[in-house]
Amino acid sequence: MNLAANRRTILRAVPLSVILLLGAILVSPSLALAFPSLGLQQTIVMEEPIPGAFPLVRNQAAAPVLVSPDDYPGVRRAAADLQADMERVSGARPTLIDDEKHCARFTVILGTIGKSPAIDRLVRSGKLDVRSIAGKWESFLIQTVAHPMPNVEQALVIAGSDKRGTIYGIYEISEEIGVSPWYWWADVPPQHHAELFILAGAYVQGPPKVKYRGIFINDEDPSLSGWAKEKFGGINSKMYVHMFELLLRLRANYLWPAMWGKAFNEDDPENPRLADEYGIVMGTSHHEPMMRAQAEWTKHGNTFGNGEWNYVANAEGLRKFWAEGVERNKAYENIYTMGMRGDGDLAMPDAGGLEANKKLLEQIIADQRQILANHVNPNPARLPQIWALFTEVQRYYDAGLRVPDDVTLLFTDDNVGNLRRVPTPEERGRSGGAGIYYHLDMNGGPYSYKWLNSNPLPKIWEQMNLAYRYGADRIWIANVGDLKPLEVPMEFFLRMAWDPAAIHKEEIGKYQQRWAEREFGKEYAVEIADIVAKYAKYNAFPKPELVKPDTFSLLNYREAERVAEAWASLVERAERVASELPADERDAYYELVIHPVKACSNAVRMNIASGCNRLFAQQGRVSANAEADLTRQLFAEDRRMTDYYNHTVAGGKWNHMMDQVHLGYIDWYSPQVNVMPPVSQVDSPDTSDFGVAVEGSAAAWPAPVRLALPPFDSMNRQQSYIEVFPIGTQPIHFELSADKPWIKLTEGNPFSAGKDDRRIWVDIDWSKAPIGETAGTVTVKGLKGAAQVEVSIARATEEESVAARGSFAVVAAPISINAQDTAQNVAADGVNWEKIPDYGPGVSAMSIFPVTASSVQQPASAPQLDYSVYFAKPGDYSVDLVTNPTLDLYPGRALSVAVSIDDQTPQVVSVFTPATGKDETFLGRRYNENTRNNSRILHFNQSVPSPGKHTLRIAMVDPTVVIERIILYRASLAPSFFGPPAAVPVSNNSSQ
Amino acid sequence: MNLAANRRTILRAVPLSVILLLGAILVSPSLALAFPSLGLQQTIVMEEPIPGAFPLVRNQAAAPVLVSPDDYPGVRRAAADLQADMERVSGARPTLIDDEKHCARFTVILGTIGKSPAIDRLVRSGKLDVRSIAGKWESFLIQTVAHPMPNVEQALVIAGSDKRGTIYGIYEISEEIGVSPWYWWADVPPQHHAELFILAGAYVQGPPKVKYRGIFINDEDPSLSGWAKEKFGGINSKMYVHMFELLLRLRANYLWPAMWGKAFNEDDPENPRLADEYGIVMGTSHHEPMMRAQAEWTKHGNTFGNGEWNYVANAEGLRKFWAEGVERNKAYENIYTMGMRGDGDLAMPDAGGLEANKKLLEQIIADQRQILANHVNPNPARLPQIWALFTEVQRYYDAGLRVPDDVTLLFTDDNVGNLRRVPTPEERGRSGGAGIYYHLDMNGGPYSYKWLNSNPLPKIWEQMNLAYRYGADRIWIANVGDLKPLEVPMEFFLRMAWDPAAIHKEEIGKYQQRWAEREFGKEYAVEIADIVAKYAKYNAFPKPELVKPDTFSLLNYREAERVAEAWASLVERAERVASELPADERDAYYELVIHPVKACSNAVRMNIASGCNRLFAQQGRVSANAEADLTRQLFAEDRRMTDYYNHTVAGGKWNHMMDQVHLGYIDWYSPQVNVMPPVSQVDSPDTSDFGVAVEGSAAAWPAPVRLALPPFDSMNRQQSYIEVFPIGTQPIHFELSADKPWIKLTEGNPFSAGKDDRRIWVDIDWSKAPIGETAGTVTVKGLKGAAQVEVSIARATEEESVAARGSFAVVAAPISINAQDTAQNVAADGVNWEKIPDYGPGVSAMSIFPVTASSVQQPASAPQLDYSVYFAKPGDYSVDLVTNPTLDLYPGRALSVAVSIDDQTPQVVSVFTPATGKDETFLGRRYNENTRNNSRILHFNQSVPSPGKHTLRIAMVDPTVVIERIILYRASLAPSFFGPPAAVPVSNNSSQ
């Protein structure tokens, strides 16, 4: 990497006020960053000196780092990391000095305001203005200061408003000079620079918009557990310090530790001590109150009262148990989980109906507060506390249960990334505020996803933006499973938590590029960013655990084929990059990019091959056996990739991290072993018999079925295909003919593992086709008979074509319209339908911004999306509004839109049918199906009064609806996962 | 075989009147027959002379056979067969003489009354009394006559009332001396006897109870077609003469020839000529009117009018086509198919609604009659004609369409052996009467069965007995597919057609034994008969084409396991017989017995192995892979057996006869190739992990599921099991314990292809169990945790046990009661519920006899089945009345029964819900499901007022209901194909 080439693109140091403003602005695309950081979001480090820049490393010497012995041990420890990081990058190891006497001509001075005499003296002397951070939460200032003290010509000051403020400032320098936060956890190699200069200026960050930002290590068996056991002897402090450091480098501050049969505070007493020393605020998970792990109760519960985890039956025992917990950990920085669920993260035993349960839970929390008062702080309102509204607990809240004002209401998502609730203004006014517990990994209902990353960033953005805009900003905590395969979404979640407004929805892709550039350098950043974004996107429709042989249609829209092609293309791109990357980046690339791409592609392809095997066997194709072979090969390949990750990458550093069983899900929980999708085989005769299949039909000639291609029309210009395949083991011979001059037949490549299957593309030569509806026949003739394939077409008149130009045309075949493809997008009162790029399976989705806009009572004056649609015939049409399965997260508000044709009275339809709330059932009708599909389809009918061009209008009613596509059809829609591919408007030459 | 040993069991000749009486009586079990015939049903042939017996062959010389040159060519041809048969059996070839001068001292005189001067002279001379047959249809007399003419000491006279009467008499001798009708078609070796004597006496047969008795060769591709092509150059007269001869030997007279692209009369002009010469009445299938094959229209239709097979559009053309057909065949004995369906055995094109269609069809038939009058007989009422009420045609009839009185109404079954209709008294009064077209093979809806025999004889008996008793006796014709694999049911159908009353329902098994004795001799007859009966029975639940991996429950009632065991036992028995049979019987035995037994067992076992593979894979069992291997092995075995049948048996005589594709059905039509049921595989870890499964649950520990065995109770004394199986590849170690002394654990053999799975039987030691409901736990403990299995039991008090003795007990588990296991079977007015042995999947079924009994209006005084049932608890119980899916075959009558508990008012429930009749949909609600399952379950609730013993009463409402079982349960019934195995009443020691 050549700094010179990029010199002119580097931001000049600018006054503080400007910087404060810039803090919220992403660097524009023309500003390629030399040393990207995902924290500060602007580059302050250079390899070559420019006037005024601070020489961090020059002439193989590193500036010494001054840190006060009185500063926090965590700050001093982080300073040592800076020392190591500078050496990693430059080879020059700075001296850590604790006495100003040892300062050099150029010295790094770091410390916490009030804990560092040097910093405080600079402030007092007016040489350092810390008003922008002083007294604020977790804020820092990085500033070059000339002549800070007599013997120092220039200092680089890193001043923190508090302990973590300083630490974040230190790690900001580390990241800027080229040490990824993931240098250890993802083997990202430090960049190498002989010399390092910090641009003159002042750079401020903080306070963070979300106060507590953390992760939950959960469902850590078998991967993280197995790995930690081999590498550290268990999930203990030797492992945790790596995690603490990572969190701090990512500007996080909060951790729920692993708790599957594990007790953070008991298993290794160094755990909480070191967490506190590092600066990590510890909690326990949503269902483990009062700093005690569930595993502690499992182990000792029987020594507390009657041993029952039931407050009706064993209040005294539980209080004692809890008191011990808070007493034990009171010296540390904690957030206390309040309330109670049943044992093992299940619903609490029924205490006699909703009211009784509510009352009991109120009593429990009151008693827990008293314990906190007795043991930790006489005023428990001063202690951070959460009450997690998980699953059934939210029901108690909805029914009126209230907790003290200072307790943070921790709302949750639905386990798969859809927020169940955001705070109301009243709730925002509570001193405890509100937070969000969010899942990037799940072991439980509606389904588990514990293998590889299936969390596209735009979805996280969209949901967490809601959280932020509605004021759920006290705590954001993400369930990251084993941590390891979720590096990308975890960092995005935490970066967003620091300042959600800093990442605009239009620039999520840019964020990903900056990430890729930091990890792998500028050259491949755009490509890698796209690969990583795409694999996560593909993995969300549906998650790889949910892909089955019949998930993607083998019959309609070439769906399975297109999915397989998309994955294959991604694999090819990822492998091309891999072959060109420097050797030292290969491990990181394997872990972060190529493994998930290839492993997920492999899993999807395996299921498709199994599906082909089944279909082809039904059709009698010899190639069914080739599909079976392919399925088995891909199953073996899955094992090879898993083994490679575990044993070969980074010299086996991550052994067991890929132990998660991931193939063969049949219930919400993961299978015991990987199970190959089933394959059949066929007993082919020794003949030259062949069969004929067509798009859309499982049954193939010579079975006694009618063969007809999907309809063609001149406005949409569909293409379709016929496949001719051996049934016997001998070569096949057939004659292909069409009885109409407008039927064009060309041979292409079949989607088949069998080498002898043949695909014939069928197109229409519209210039030769008659006007109106007509039909022709393709005949495939062999020795034993002939297959007839019907071809039905509709050619529009010149007049009709002209009328339809620029509109989407619904003739006979269903069409799908991307929500963004409006003819007109009408704002109202500053409220807009806006695009969230790359959201959903398509190019984007449309949602209302600002997301906090009020519901509209009069659809006529609402923001609206107008689509121009040409209907060849009048009558009743089906409309499938494809939305993301987001939930009705605001009390009393539905997820409605108003739909109309032209100026008809709009139909107000709700894309969401709430659950009855009576039981534990999650979240609305067809919730399981919707979340599995990662889409919710609202089906309704729309009457079209006359043939010709019409406006299909979708007007806002409620915000937070996310519309992805609109599917229009007349009769029935052939089954598929995605529906028809997006249509394009009728073009100018459509009448030819 | 030693005649002497059996001598005393031979029936003595008895006077004619007695014989006529005996004709209707099956030989009782103590009368083992020396030379069984399935025609005369009594033995008249011996190997050793007794006084008065006619020496047919003695001293290596055969008595000459006198047949008049004036007799029918068909009679003379049959006489030549007798000549050949005598030589086959004895080695001595008789002389065929046509001049009385050449008579020997002992001479066979055969001929048709009025066509044989010798016979006629004997009649005139008073030496032969033919009054019992003269003028009757197809009757014959076999009689020894002393001194029939001067130079003859004794004659054996075979006199026929008509051509076929004589022929049937001739073949009766052939069969009695030891030539099976199937000697050629199933390679049954002729018996060998040096000498043959005919017992003195007169033996009369005829007239047959059903006038026309025949078969339909249908859906003959690929098996019969391929075979005939290879052996005869096609389905031509060289092939057909074998079929004509077989039919005559079976006393049949009627044939619908193969018609898949074949034209009997055009393909080979010798076909109709020889049929007529042999004595076979030819028809065309139900949808081919006027003696013309569908294939003729396919070939020539375009030369008749406008070429459309549509009477609205092309009446003139069709009339010409039909006229040619009847003109061509008018010299022969035919039955004319009248009416018209659409082309290719489809419904006729709609002529404008039901009334218009009816009217059109009436016109068509009137026109066809006119053509017959013009070309064949001026009085067409003298020509036998049929109108087949197939599928939609019956609808026109139901709607009032009537045909001339002399046209036989050919009612049909539902394609799978359930009669749709029997005639009313009014219909029986028509001069044309009524007949039945019945399926033993089907290519079409609701599903095809074209492979091996799946027609148990009791079902054929039950249905065709209805046909007979309700007077459908003019024609019986069975669709026998390719003929060959349906030897047994085809003969039974035809034998029954000769005299339905001669086979009693209690003696169907004996009939089968007599068949087995004829084909394979006395020694193995009982065993072979049972094997053949059982394979057909097993094959009917469901037909082998319908068996899928999930057909039989792998979880409940050990169902799949018991099915597999039943088949395995049958295979073992069949192989044991095979190993002991003489070599010359092996081909026949392979074709008739061992191939269907092994091939069907193999197909069922293959599907069960595939099902196990799927289940075991879900459970993580290593043995899933062994099940996959087994599935593949059995698939290969299927191919080997097919090849053996085609290429090896009888020296390859039957090549192609086993070409029918039979594995992998997914629709009604047969697949193109045999498709193996799918198998998965598991990627087992290198650990000693194990899993624990229990009866009734697919999910297995360590999946997060509750494991509980089905309930145990002291009255039914259930047994259940736990399975412990390796998940990893290392040997497993576990500790098994129970927390209650009454839980007995013993190790048994698991139903698994994996050698390391373990099964633990769980029984209850009732002497140690506490009274009442209680529970215990079985623990399976390993290094990584312990599986807990719940065991719930209910022990009755001594008082309860005493109260329940002799009754069926419903405690917690569902129970099944065989319909025959009544406490009381109450007749009323000579109407009874009677047992049809071996009917259905169980031991028998119960139905009303006489079958023509009138419906009952007052259930209180109806014949009733009383079951004594002890209910442990009062409340609502589910009752599943399991019936055979017979249809409501009598107009205006339902299939109802009345059910009550004790003296409650009976609920009248109909076991059958008729179809609306609006469309072509076959035959009642859930028809497809019922026919696939070969059972129809009527579910209803019954309130039980108090605990203790009650009478469950099923009273007759309508006849022709066939009840197989009653299933009683409280909550839900675990899914399975058959339901719970039959329960036994509470025994005397049930309280221990």
Side-chain angles (χ1 to χ4, degrees), chain A residues 617-620 632 635 639 666 668-669 672-685 699 702-705 727, chain B residues 617-620 632 635 639 666 668-669 672-685 699 702-705 727:
Chain A
Q618 289 176 3
Q619 297 177 332
R632 285 186 286 260
F635 187 62
R639 160 58 46 204
I666 50 158
W668 65 261
Y669 51 82
Q672 298 303 318
V673 296
N674 284 317
V675 180
M676 187 185 81
V679 292
S680 185
Q681 61 190 66
V682 293
D683 181 18
S684 312
V705 291
I727 286 175
Chain B
Q618 290 177 3
Q619 295 177 334
R632 286 186 286 261
F635 188 62
R639 161 57 47 203
I666 50 157
W668 66 263
Y669 50 83
Q672 297 303 318
V673 298
N674 283 317
V675 180
M676 188 185 81
V679 292
S680 185
Q681 61 190 67
V682 294
D683 182 16
S684 312
V705 291
I727 286 175

Side-chain angles (χ1 to χ4, degrees), chain B residues 347-361:
Chain B
M348 201 163 60
D350 186 46
L354 184 62
E355 281 306 313
N357 290 338
K358 251 176 62 184
K359 209 169 151 189
L360 176 64
L361 202 46

